[in-house]
Amino acid sequence: MTALSDLLADANVQGWSTREIARRAQKNGHKLSQPSASVYMGGRHGVPTEPVLAAFSDVLNIPIDKLRAAAGVPAGDGEPWAPPAEANRLDRRQRLALEELIRSMVASETSGEDQDDDQQDPARMDREAQPDGVMPPAGGRRPRREDYDRAADASGSSLLEADDARAAARGEESQDPGSDEPA
């Protein structure tokens, strides 16, 4: 059991089943499934999301800051943060950047370090246009550390040559206007 699941069990004075807790959460507008309720009540969970904590807070009448403390996440101010009125002047890209900054700050405070790009939730990231306006490569893959290491190593083939070789193996033709050779 975890401190969070102990707190949830102690607050469940009605003795509701996880199915009943999930039903009540959904009735109040939360998205808490019965399996998720079971995982948290049974202590077999990771770090809970804010919506999960809000659902348990609402259904079991536990202050959200007590739930956060039991989960080992920053307690926060207790109330949702509302940005100043000037925030209405931000465009979509600026708002996404600010939201990601907030998530990064909370994640750093929780774990003591920043999350890698690989650990971030891709649904929250706008991968269509980068801040500099450049579109990501086809397939959405960003360069990895080994790509940079390989590019810096002059002894082997370059990334471009390696890409050309892979394209030729697939039977693709070169798009280089100065070349009549196959890729």
Side-chain angles (χ1 to χ4, degrees):
M1 297 292 274
T2 65
L4 177 60
S5 61
D6 288 341
L7 178 61
L8 295 173
D10 291 344
N12 188 12
V13 294
Q14 301 85 350
W16 290 329
S17 68
T18 56
R19 186 175 312 281
E20 180 63 16
I21 290 171
R23 188 191 68 73
R24 288 176 179 267
Q26 290 169 5
K27 182 179 175 187
N28 291 345
H30 301 283
K31 294 181 179 179
L32 181 68
S33 66
Q34 185 276 326
S36 290
S38 177
V39 164
Y40 283 97
M41 295 295 289
R44 302 173 312 273
H45 58 85
V47 178
T49 62
E50 195 65 17
V52 166
L53 292 176
F56 281 120
S57 175
D58 190 24
V59 172
L60 298 175
N61 199 27
I62 306 170
I64 192 81
D65 56 333
K66 284 183 78 172
L67 285 170
R68 289 178 185 145
V73 298
D77 206 10
E79 295 295 319
W81 177 69
E86 291 82 5
N88 290 330
R89 298 179 189 160
L90 299 174
D91 64 24
R92 183 173 184 272
R93 196 176 91 208
Q94 292 167 325
R95 290 176 188 210
L96 288 170
L98 185 56
E99 289 171 3
E100 189 56 33
L101 175 65
I102 291 169
R103 285 186 199 96
S104 175
M105 291 173 75
V106 171
S108 294
E109 195 171 320
T110 302
S111 67
E113 60 186 59
D114 291 335
Q115 288 183 320
D116 290 337
D117 283 341
D118 293 342
Q119 295 173 338
Q120 293 177 357
D121 182 2
R124 293 181 177 161
M125 301 294 292
D126 180 17
R127 298 284 189 209
E128 291 301 314
Q130 302 304 311
D132 59 2
V134 176
M135 297 300 287
R141 181 170 133 12
R142 289 182 164 192
R144 304 281 183 194
R145 176 179 295 281
E146 48 281 3
D147 293 334
Y148 292 111
D149 293 342
R150 187 171 175 195
D153 181 10
S155 64
S157 63
S158 72
L159 289 176
L160 184 57
E161 291 169 336
D163 286 343
D164 286 347
R166 283 192 294 274
R170 291 190 302 262
E172 296 177 6
E173 294 181 11
S174 172
Q175 298 299 311
D176 182 3
S179 172
D180 292 331
E181 301 175 17

